[in-house]
Amino acid sequence: MYSYIARQPILDIKKNTIGYELLFRDGPKNTFPAVEAEEATSRLLSDHFISAHCNATNDKLGFVNFPHQSLINLVPTLFNSNNLVVEILEDCIPNQELLAAVKTLSERGYKLALDDFEPHPDWTPFLPYINIIKFDIQATPILKAKLFIRHCKKYNISFLAEKVENYEEFELAKSVGFTYFQGYFFSKPEMLQQRSMRPNQLSTIQLYKEISAPIIDFEAVEKQLVKDVSLSYKLLRFVNLSSVIDQPINSFKQALVYLGENKLRQFISLVAVAHATKNKPHSLYTLSIHRAKLCELIVNKTSIDLEPSQAFLVGLFSLLEPLLDQPLDELLQRLPISTEIKLALTKRTGSLGMLLLAIESYEKADWLTITQCCAALKITEEEFTTYYQESAEWVDDVAS
């Protein structure tokens, strides 16, 4: 399964790309789909900011449309303020509730833009908190925009000309005070495709039920998270994007503690909205879970000096590369996990790496390597086979 996004570059006066507007697509056609704005924003954020943000913007600014309710709910605060521009859609209602949200976002360091702006007195209280105003120069004449630009000299606002279609429009927009530009004159929206990991619907629903309780049961949440490799990966990516990590994370429980109740509720809500449709998990998901449980089971039932949570995580993430069609090294760079776990996944080093090598060899019926791995792990081949069968039964229970 793939997810899609269109991006259109935003340039400065010297035609240097300073960022991209990210546009949701639900298929390979470069047109906006017939979905609600809230769903479009949630799916874009879930698939491309949590999963692979750097691929979408090349570390430049990402301009993302936020509908009214997502702003009220402070959804942008789920993400790093350094490279996100929060676009306030033109159909947002400029009321006191929205103004309070805009003030909060501004205080927290987020860059704010008014999209497809039409001057109106109701927007005046917002102007001290706005960084960029975007004018559609096909809908608002450039000379009319010029008057508003002059009116806003007392504010620290930059102006962006949208839908610039030719050289003459570019030059005229520059002359009246626009400093950023976007449109077909520079580039049409470019389609990007990437492998998408969609959470199991049952896991998502059960998680949503857990976070709806007045007090979150973190153990119950962890039990649901470890059943779904997509949710697990997105969770650690989310922790890395939204928190200051002072030490590597070695378990999902540790990740939950970092987030706290509020951000955990926001994370699950975002994923639930983004993937409300039913998607049958790929066989690779099941194999990931099987490996994870087998790693944990072996550590729990033997004298191997490893943390069961670390072993589970190694097994779960051992198939990220085929799941996401991206190099494993790049994927692991985005996760706040220890060097030991990264080396186990990439080089098969250490006891964790040996454990993973044993499992892969068993799946390939490479009996010589299994014998060598079992000897190194100080378990018998019969024990390994028993644990393999027990973990397979556990996976069947989870699937049912």
Side-chain angles (χ1 to χ4, degrees):
M1 183 175 294
Y2 292 93
S3 60
Y4 301 86
I5 188 173
R7 68 177 189 180
Q8 188 172 32
I10 292 171
L11 299 90
D12 62 16
I13 287 178
K14 295 182 179 179
K15 298 183 184 177
N16 297 315
T17 300
I18 58 98
Y20 296 89
E21 178 162 16
L22 304 180
L23 307 164
F24 173 71
R25 301 290 186 260
D26 67 351
K29 292 183 178 181
N30 198 352
T31 55
F32 189 82
V35 300
E36 294 293 329
E38 294 287 350
E39 180 187 349
T41 297
S42 295
R43 287 174 64 179
L44 185 149
L45 292 170
S46 177
D47 285 344
H48 295 279
F49 268 73
I50 294 179
S51 295
H53 165 59
C54 292
N55 289 345
T57 64
N58 296 329
D59 292 329
K60 298 184 185 298
L61 294 173
F63 288 66
V64 177
N65 293 326
F66 285 87
H68 188 92
Q69 193 57 48
S70 65
L71 293 167
I72 301 304
N73 293 341
L74 299 179
V75 169
T77 62
L78 298 177
F79 304 94
N80 196 311
S81 63
N82 292 338
N83 45 21
L84 174 65
V85 178
V86 178
E87 291 200 14
I88 302 167
L89 286 176
E90 65 274 13
D91 58 1
C92 288
I93 303 169
N95 54 23
Q96 288 301 311
E97 192 176 29
L98 182 63
L99 180 59
V102 165
K103 286 181 179 179
T104 298
L105 291 170
S106 178
E107 289 168 357
R108 297 189 187 182
Y110 289 87
K111 301 173 185 67
L112 297 158
L114 293 176
D115 189 31
D116 288 343
F117 185 67
E118 285 285 343
H120 191 282
D122 288 351
W123 286 107
T124 301
F126 291 78
L127 297 182
Y129 310 99
I130 300 300
N131 304 98
I132 299 171
I133 290 181
K134 303 177 72 174
F135 276 103
D136 176 352
I137 63 171
Q138 304 304 320
T140 302
I142 292 178
L143 294 179
K144 180 181 177 181
K146 176 182 179 181
L147 297 175
F148 188 80
I149 292 173
R150 285 182 176 178
H151 172 71
C152 290
K153 281 189 175 180
K154 60 183 175 181
Y155 302 110
N156 188 25
I157 297 175
S158 300
F159 290 87
L160 189 157
E162 291 185 283
K163 297 187 180 177
V164 179
E165 296 186 353
N166 54 56
Y167 178 77
E168 290 74 18
E169 289 177 348
F170 173 54
E171 288 297 314
L172 182 57
K174 281 199 300 184
S175 70
V176 303
F178 284 99
T179 54
Y180 298 131
F181 309 89
Q182 178 182 357
Y184 282 10
F185 173 60
F186 309 101
S187 174
K188 293 183 178 180
E190 170 195 7
M191 283 291 294
L192 301 177
Q193 171 186 289
Q194 69 172 20
R195 179 76 70 175
S196 174
M197 297 175 69
R198 298 295 174 87
N200 175 276
Q201 188 185 31
L202 180 59
S203 296
T204 304
I205 291 171
Q206 290 173 327
L207 278 168
Y208 208 55
K209 180 180 177 182
E210 294 295 341
I211 65 164
S212 298
I215 300 176
I216 292 180
D217 183 342
F218 281 88
E219 289 189 4
V221 170
E222 184 185 20
K223 286 180 182 178
Q224 293 301 325
L225 280 170
V226 298
K227 293 179 184 178
D228 194 301
V229 64
S230 170
L231 285 169
S232 303
Y233 177 75
K234 285 178 182 289
L235 172 71
L236 288 188
R237 279 283 294 140
F238 181 67
V239 172
N240 206 34
L241 288 168
S242 63
S243 304
V244 177
I245 308 298
D246 56 10
Q247 60 182 354
I249 286 177
N250 293 315
S251 70
F252 294 114
K253 186 175 291 184
Q254 188 182 356
L256 296 175
V257 170
Y258 264 111
L259 282 183
E261 289 197 1
N262 289 337
K263 283 192 177 292
L264 178 60
R265 284 191 172 97
Q266 289 176 317
F267 167 75
I268 298 300
S269 299
L270 177 69
V271 174
V273 171
H275 305 296
T277 57
K278 185 175 182 180
N279 294 286
K280 187 177 180 180
H282 191 278
S283 60
L284 284 174
Y285 294 171
T286 304
L287 183 56
S288 297
I289 298 169
H290 186 187
R291 287 184 176 185
K293 186 61 180 178
L294 178 54
C295 287
E296 181 189 56
L297 196 60
I298 291 172
V299 170
N300 275 328
K301 293 199 172 187
T302 65
S303 58
I304 298 175
D305 186 21
L306 292 171
E307 283 290 329
S309 58
Q310 288 187 349
F312 190 99
L313 195 150
V314 165
L316 191 66
F317 286 167
S318 62
L319 292 168
L320 276 183
E321 188 167 84
L323 279 168
L324 287 178
D325 282 344
Q326 295 180 48
L328 185 61
D329 285 338
E330 292 182 13
L331 290 168
L332 294 180
Q333 286 175 7
R334 305 170 194 157
L335 300 180
I337 56 179
S338 66
T339 301
E340 181 185 6
I341 293 176
K342 289 180 179 179
L343 289 175
L345 289 167
T346 57
K347 306 293 185 183
R348 301 297 186 265
T349 60
S351 298
L352 287 171
M354 183 66 67
L355 191 57
L356 193 53
L357 180 61
I359 293 171
E360 290 170 329
S361 301
Y362 192 91
E363 292 167 353
K364 298 173 184 176
D366 181 354
W367 308 121
L368 178 60
T369 304
I370 290 171
T371 300
Q372 294 170 344
C373 290
C374 286
L377 294 169
K378 297 180 180 179
I379 60 175
T380 67
E381 294 171 52
E382 291 75 17
E383 287 174 325
F384 187 94
T385 301
T386 299
Y387 301 147
Y388 189 93
Q389 292 171 347
E390 284 184 29
S391 58
E393 291 171 3
W394 180 87
V395 171
D396 288 340
D397 289 339
V398 170
S400 63

